[in-house]
């Protein structure tokens, strides 16, 4: 039911939690935690990378500094005493800037005070959205691979995730991962509340075309569902791809919750500032959850991000186009190094992640069938120790039933300095010694 994770880790983490709580109190933990674990690919692979001094192309956080204008704006905010709680639904300067920035893309005027909520990152936006719309017993359809907090949010709300995997039958581009609309429709039941999509999708970097989104929209409307559209990677699209907002399609704004992240847009993942744009009745419901979880997102970063969007509007309208160009160079560099090392990349149309095919590496070096551990996990652990590069096993973003679909891949991120990608690329060349 929950994401595929190394089951040994999961069980030991739960046992550890139970033992600790038993020494303090005999009262058990909430049952909703029964199938959840403190362990994840993030808690495993970043410490492992540090332990082996590996170059970390695992977790997607930039290792380069954010632009000076955004750093200056944050320090000015702190120095100018913007250090107290701000408006709970979103700092006024930021909601105004977000509405001004996004209205055109939505093809309508976004009301900054009623249709925008600012939260502690897209992560809280996703949590609050699910809490606001999912009743116990409701089903939410996830497209695999999904971002790993989606199914957990649904389970915490008492709902059930239903999985529809992207299908891949070969090819070298993320557009070769396709959504089968019959499968999508077959997953809908009378209990279905919403479909969640992520475009550009982390992973494989798929940017849904207008035609694909129109089909999804048609299904959503015909079955009277909500659409949750996670668009945190919207500023990073490459080649001929264009990001289309599902909420901009006819009659979709009323039923779509669009989620974004300043952490991704401005390379400040530690600021944990994200937003929801949705019609007033949905925005208000999401705000009610946020008001009682965090009350407000932090003020100085909201002020700084507002300054950032205002600056883009007034002085630098091509800012995000140029950002995409910079990331595209990094993408091309990493894909080139992966190809040369024998790990064929699936070239992403968007986001800053790339899937690489590990099937040419001789499994005798890293795979122990008897261990019961998924192939991509075993490869990713071996890669850190033997080659000195950290990547993420993508089956962490699949349900158990579908994890096998991605066992021949690992995920690398390229939101790194060119020199980091070059150094990792050099280390990866050692893989040539291990190819079949
Ligand atoms: C698809 C997707 N959604 C949401 C998030 C969370 O974003 P934030 O850091 O703003 O909470 C991430 C972070 O990696 C992501 O990849």
């Amino acid at each position: 039911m929950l994401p595929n994770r190394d089951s040994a880790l999961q069980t030991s983490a739960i046992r550890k939690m139970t033992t600790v709580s038993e020494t303090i109190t005999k009262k058990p933990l909430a049952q909703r935690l029964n199938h959840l674990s403190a362990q994840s690919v993030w808690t495993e692979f970043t410490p492992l990378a540090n332990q082996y001094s590996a170059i970390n192309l695992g977790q997607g956080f930039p290792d380069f500094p954010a632009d000076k204008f955004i750093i200056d704006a944050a320090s000015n905010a702190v120095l100018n005493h913007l250090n107290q709680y701000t408006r709970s639904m979103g700092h006024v300067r930021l909601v105004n800037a977000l509405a001004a920035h996004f209205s055109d893309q939505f093809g309508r005027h976004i009301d900054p005070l009623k249709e925008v909520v600012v939260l502690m990152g897209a992560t809280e936006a996703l949590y609050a959205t699910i809490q606001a719309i999912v009743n116990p017993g409701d089903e939410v359809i996830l497209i695999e691979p999904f971002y790993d907090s989606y199914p957990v949010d649904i389970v915490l709300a008492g709902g059930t995730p239903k999985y529809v995997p992207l299908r891949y039958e070969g090819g070298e581009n993320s557009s070769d991962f396709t959504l089968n609309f019959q499968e999508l429709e077959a997953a809908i039941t009378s209990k279905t509340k919403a479909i969640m999509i992520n475009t550009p999708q982390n992973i494989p970097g798929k940017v849904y075309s207008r035609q694909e989104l129109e089909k999804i929209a048609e299904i959503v409307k015909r079955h009277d569902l909500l659409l949750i559209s996670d668009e945190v990677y919207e500023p990073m699209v490459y080649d001929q791809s264009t990001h289309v907002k599902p909420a901009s399609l006819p009659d979709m704004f009323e039923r779509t919750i669009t989620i974004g992240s300043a952490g991704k847009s401005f390379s400040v993942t530690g600021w944990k500032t994200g937003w929801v744009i949705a019609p007033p009745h949905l925005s208000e419901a999401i705000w009610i959850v946020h008001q009682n979880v965090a009350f407000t997102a932090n003020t100085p970063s909201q002020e700084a991000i507002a300054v950032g969007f205002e600056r883009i509007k007034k002085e630098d309208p091509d800012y995000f186009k140029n950002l995409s160009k910079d990331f595209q160079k990094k993408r091309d560099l990493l894909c080139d190094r992966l190809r040369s090392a024998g790990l064929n990349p699936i070239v992403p149309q968007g986001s800053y992640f790339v899937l690489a095919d590990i099937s040419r590496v001789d499994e005798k070096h890293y795979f122990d069938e008897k261990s019961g551990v998924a192939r991509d996990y075993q490869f990713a652990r071996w890669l850190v120790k033997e080659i000195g590069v950290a990547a993420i096993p993508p089956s962490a973003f699949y349900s158990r039933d579908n994890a096998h679909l991605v066992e021949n891949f690992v995920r690398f991120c390229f939101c790194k300095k060119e020199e980091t990608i070059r150094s990792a690329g050099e280390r990866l060349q050692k893989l040539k010694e291990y190819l079949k």
Side-chain angles (χ1 to χ4, degrees):
M1 178 185 177
L2 274 161
N4 177 59
R5 286 190 184 140
D6 183 326
S7 54
L9 277 179
Q10 199 155 322
T11 324
S12 80
I14 289 169
R15 264 201 221 109
K16 222 188 255 166
M17 281 164 75
T18 316
T19 319
V20 171
S21 74
E22 276 170 1
T23 61
I24 299 167
T25 166
K26 294 278 180 273
K27 301 278 184 212
L29 296 172
Q31 282 173 1
R32 70 177 72 88
L33 291 178
N34 279 357
H35 300 286
L36 302 181
S37 163
Q39 296 288 335
S40 67
V41 276
W42 320 121
T43 58
E44 177 178 357
F45 282 93
T46 299
L48 196 68
N50 294 339
Q51 189 187 339
Y52 286 89
S53 305
I55 298 172
N56 193 353
L57 300 189
Q59 198 173 4
F61 57 87
D63 68 346
F64 45 83
D67 282 326
K68 189 171 176 319
F69 70 83
I70 200 101
I71 302 289
D72 286 347
S75 43
N76 287 340
V78 173
L79 293 170
N80 289 329
H81 309 294
L82 282 167
N83 297 311
Q84 308 306 330
Y85 299 131
T86 186
R87 179 174 170 268
S88 168
M89 199 168 167
H91 188 55
V92 170
R93 188 166 181 182
L94 179 56
V95 292
N96 281 330
L98 288 168
H101 179 79
F102 284 114
S103 283
D104 282 355
Q105 292 176 47
F106 280 94
R108 70 196 304 283
H109 168 72
I110 298 295
D111 183 334
L113 298 178
K114 292 196 176 135
E115 294 178 332
V116 184
V117 192
V118 181
L119 308 95
M120 304 295 283
T123 307
E124 199 215 343
L126 289 159
Y127 174 80
T129 297
I130 296 293
Q131 284 291 324
I133 64 169
V134 171
N135 285 317
D138 283 351
E139 294 174 352
V140 178
I141 295 179
L142 303 184
I143 294 168
E144 293 173 302
F146 47 73
Y147 182 60
D148 59 343
S149 72
Y150 298 174
V152 178
D153 288 343
I154 296 163
V155 168
L156 287 177
T160 305
K162 296 285 288 286
Y163 301 102
V164 178
L166 289 180
R167 295 293 172 184
Y168 171 70
E169 280 162 15
E172 290 175 358
N173 190 274
S174 58
S175 58
D176 295 313
F177 281 74
T178 55
L179 183 61
N180 179 320
F181 295 99
Q182 271 114 36
E183 282 186 68
L184 180 65
E185 196 142 16
I188 297 172
T189 71
S190 58
K191 295 181 190 159
T192 308
K193 195 55 151 310
I195 297 177
M196 283 178 93
I197 63 164
N198 176 210
T199 180
Q201 184 166 336
N202 161 22
I203 40 185
K206 178 182 176 66
V207 176
Y208 285 73
S209 67
R210 180 174 292 275
Q211 289 81 349
E212 287 173 309
L213 293 172
E214 280 168 354
K215 280 195 196 151
I216 295 172
E218 190 274 313
I219 292 171
V220 163
K221 284 187 276 188
R222 187 151 40 80
H223 291 272
D224 193 19
L225 304 176
L226 293 166
L227 183 70
I228 302 167
S229 182
D230 176 347
E231 301 175 23
V232 299
Y233 297 106
E234 66 188 305
M236 296 112 197
V237 285
Y238 314 122
D239 307 320
Q240 272 60 277
S241 303
T242 5
H243 174 70
V244 176
K245 288 198 167 300
S248 70
L249 300 176
D251 303 324
M252 281 302 289
F253 185 77
E254 291 67 24
R255 51 176 78 241
T256 304
I257 296 151
T258 302
I259 292 175
S261 166
K264 308 292 177 189
S265 305
F266 292 104
S267 296
V268 287
T269 57
W271 288 11
K272 294 303 299 180
T273 308
W275 54 84
V276 157
I277 298 181
H281 70 289
L282 293 173
S283 288
E284 188 186 56
I286 292 162
W287 169 43
I288 291 171
V289 178
H290 167 65
Q291 199 179 154
N292 293 287
V293 169
F295 183 68
T296 174
N298 98 52
T299 309
S301 64
Q302 291 197 65
E303 172 78 2
I305 293 153
V307 172
F309 276 116
E310 287 168 5
R311 181 184 176 277
I312 290 169
K313 193 149 200 76
K314 278 194 219 119
E315 297 167 31
D316 195 0
D318 287 336
Y319 179 78
F320 287 121
K321 243 189 235 160
N322 292 330
L323 184 82
S324 280
K325 276 192 201 148
D326 287 349
F327 275 112
Q328 187 167 325
K329 275 192 220 139
K330 294 174 193 288
R331 176 199 72 168
D332 291 344
L333 176 62
L334 178 61
C335 287
D336 175 69
R337 299 291 71 212
L338 288 168
R339 235 177 251 119
S340 145
L343 300 186
N344 274 348
I346 305 290
V347 179
Q349 303 154 281
S351 86
Y352 42 55
F353 302 101
V354 53
L355 276 181
D357 187 340
I358 61 174
S359 48
R360 283 186 60 204
V361 180
D362 196 332
E363 62 179 33
K364 73 174 183 229
H365 299 296
Y366 69 86
F367 187 57
D368 172 9
E369 192 159 14
K370 282 185 248 109
S371 71
V373 175
R375 181 185 297 267
D376 58 335
Y377 270 83
Q378 293 197 46
F379 181 85
R381 287 171 188 160
W382 174 83
L383 193 73
V384 172
K385 296 173 192 167
E386 194 64 30
I387 307 292
V389 177
I392 294 291
S395 65
F397 312 125
Y398 279 77
S399 58
R400 271 179 209 289
D401 285 351
N402 292 329
H404 65 278
L405 294 173
V406 81
E407 67 179 0
N408 281 325
F409 291 95
V410 286
R411 187 195 87 166
F412 293 91
C413 71
F414 53 86
C415 52
K416 303 290 175 189
K417 291 181 206 143
E418 198 178 306
E419 69 201 62
T420 309
I421 301 172
R422 279 194 196 287
S423 307
E426 255 166 54
R427 292 189 183 188
L428 287 169
Q429 302 314 302
K430 198 174 165 217
L431 279 172
K432 289 175 186 158
E433 296 165 26
Y434 300 93
L435 299 183
K436 283 189 223 169

